[in-house]
Amino acid sequence: MKQGLMLGPPGPQRVVPQWQKSKGCLIVTAALELSANQVTHFYSKKKNTKEMIRMLELLIDRYADRRTLFLSWDAASWHVSKKLKQRIKEHNETAVGANLPRVEIAPLPAGAQFLNVIESVFSGMARSIIHNSDYPSVEDTRAAIDQYFSDRNQQFRESPKRAGKRIWGEERVPSTFCDSNNCKDPRWR
């Protein structure tokens, strides 16, 4: 059970036990494409370089019609690893001949994860479907996350100029790049 705000009738208050048996672990690996505001995501067993390379390959396939992909992320060890940089270098050496986009890295400064725009999307997702929840299993949680991102992507495909106010109105700041945005929820630093 996760705590959170809940609108309910007067009477007994909902209690979230301090100690609970785990139902499982879930790591969402995601990327936010800024020009169309589309989220690409999958589930990982670990946060590591192998999963970042997997995301890189997925993005190259998804955006094969583009000339260049710019990846911007924080200074987490799996984002700045030698193995990932080597894979990007190998890809770029053959990209033009294979008619695939080049990949460029635009890293955020160390200690500035609050500038990472996808943190705002994660914050909105957490507020909409994780906080105040009690999913019976990891699979049910995955289904809720998949539905959230599917609905969010569809809304932005249909109305690319509007941020939308259905279930994604809970982002801390608009999911656009701006120097003054603090995208990461300060409670989770």
Side-chain angles (χ1 to χ4, degrees), residues 36-48:
N37 217 340
Q38 298 294 296
V39 176
T40 301
H41 76 288
F42 59 83
Y43 301 96
S44 304
K45 293 189 187 270
K46 296 181 179 180
K47 291 182 180 182
N48 61 22

Side-chain angles (χ1 to χ4, degrees), residues 82-122:
K82 291 178 184 177
K83 190 174 179 179
L84 177 60
K85 288 179 182 177
Q86 180 61 34
R87 177 62 191 106
I88 291 170
K89 181 181 175 192
E90 290 169 2
H91 168 78
N92 286 341
E93 289 171 355
T94 61
V96 175
N99 204 24
L100 292 171
R102 288 188 43 79
V103 176
E104 299 292 332
I105 299 175
L108 294 171
Q113 63 270 31
F114 58 89
L115 292 175
N116 196 348
V117 178
I118 200 165
E119 294 292 349
S120 183
V121 175
F122 282 143

Side-chain angles (χ1 to χ4, degrees), residues 5 12 16 20 37 64 89 105 115 134 172 175:
L5 296 176
V16 177
Q20 302 178 53
N37 217 340
K89 181 181 175 192
I105 299 175
L115 292 175
D134 187 15
R172 291 185 46 76
S175 54

Side-chain angles (χ1 to χ4, degrees), residues 72-76 79 106-119 177-179 181-184 189:
S72 178
W73 46 40
D74 56 29
H79 291 156
L108 294 171
Q113 63 270 31
F114 58 89
L115 292 175
N116 196 348
V117 178
I118 200 165
E119 294 292 349
F177 183 77
C178 176
D179 291 344
N181 276 0
N182 184 355
C183 301
K184 187 157 178 109
R189 288 188 184 191

Side-chain angles (χ1 to χ4, degrees), residues 112-169:
Q113 63 270 31
F114 58 89
L115 292 175
N116 196 348
V117 178
I118 200 165
E119 294 292 349
S120 183
V121 175
F122 282 143
S123 176
M125 184 267 300
R127 286 183 178 161
S128 294
I129 64 169
I130 303 297
H131 295 179
N132 200 33
S133 68
D134 187 15
Y135 294 103
S137 68
V138 172
E139 291 75 27
D140 291 324
T141 308
R142 280 185 185 203
I145 292 169
D146 290 343
Q147 186 64 51
Y148 176 85
F149 285 136
S150 176
D151 290 349
R152 184 187 186 285
N153 286 347
Q154 183 63 34
Q155 176 67 23
F156 283 111
R157 278 192 295 275
E158 292 172 1
S159 305
K161 294 183 181 178
R162 291 187 306 133
K165 296 252 184 216
R166 289 189 192 163
I167 60 176
W168 31 88

